[in-house]
Amino acid sequence: MVLLQRFPRASGWDVQVVASDLSTKVLDRARAATWAIGKAQSIPVGYRQSYMLKGSGPHIGLMKAGPELRAAVTFQRLNLAQDPYPQIGEFDVIFCRNVLIYFDPEGRAKVIGRLLQHLKPTGYLFLGHAEGLTGAGHPLRSVTPSVYAPIGRVTGGHWPARSSA
């Protein structure tokens, strides 16, 4: 909602979000984009009015993401331990928050390396506050706590594959 408001299509922006999870059950629930209306209390009123639909009739007590919001998000099953990742695209921003805590240091380094294959050289990687890159050896610099940016630019627009050695 924030991205759609700050970067409107009418001004030439094309906001696209790829939401991923390992669980197909979680993805199916997210795709449905329907929640109990009580969960809307933390959504600012302006966002609710612009991007959410209030249920009526048999859907009373529910809310659903509106068409503009649903059109901006696609869902894809992704196993972060899988190598290589499927063609998920190249991103300006990657959020990988509170996931790396489930990997050992070697697994974290591999996941970060794979994510960097999909991060634009001018992009940003957001991690959880409990997740750091200490000792990972990736070409990233800390911008602010939990936010990282590539060091320098890479020719061809892609990061080289991280060797497993």
Side-chain angles (χ1 to χ4, degrees):
M1 289 183 257
V2 172
L3 290 172
L4 290 172
Q5 184 174 27
R6 303 278 176 160
F7 304 102
R9 186 173 295 277
S11 295
W13 294 95
D14 183 21
V15 173
Q16 296 181 16
V17 174
V18 177
S20 65
D21 200 285
L22 180 60
S23 168
T24 54
K25 184 178 177 181
V26 167
L27 290 170
D28 288 343
R29 186 170 177 188
R31 257 186 219 100
T34 304
W35 303 272
I37 199 103
K39 297 208 180 230
Q41 298 309 314
S42 62
I43 302 172
V45 173
Y47 287 144
R48 282 193 311 237
Q49 291 172 342
S50 296
Y51 300 105
M52 302 302 292
L53 303 172
K54 187 174 180 180
S56 62
H59 304 288
I60 197 103
L62 299 175
M63 67 175 177
K64 184 175 183 104
E68 184 180 10
L69 186 56
R70 287 194 319 270
V73 182
T74 58
F75 298 90
Q76 183 168 350
R77 184 177 183 277
L78 179 63
N79 180 350
L80 292 175
Q82 173 188 329
D83 188 22
Y85 291 163
Q87 292 301 322
I88 56 174
E90 188 176 49
F91 302 98
D92 295 300
V93 179
I94 295 177
F95 293 91
C96 186
R97 297 182 48 84
N98 305 321
V99 174
L100 295 177
I101 58 175
Y102 298 104
F103 291 89
D104 62 21
E106 181 182 345
R108 276 193 297 273
K110 287 180 179 180
V111 169
I112 295 298
R114 289 183 202 114
L115 291 174
L116 288 178
Q117 293 296 311
H118 298 279
L119 183 67
K120 291 182 179 179
T122 56
Y124 294 94
L125 174 64
F126 287 72
L127 300 178
H129 290 289
E131 303 165 317
L133 295 180
T134 305
H138 294 292
L140 294 167
R141 63 181 170 81
S142 177
V143 174
T144 192
S146 302
V147 180
Y148 300 88
I151 297 171
R153 291 189 176 263
V154 177
T155 58
H158 298 280
W159 293 100
R162 181 168 169 79
S163 67
S164 58

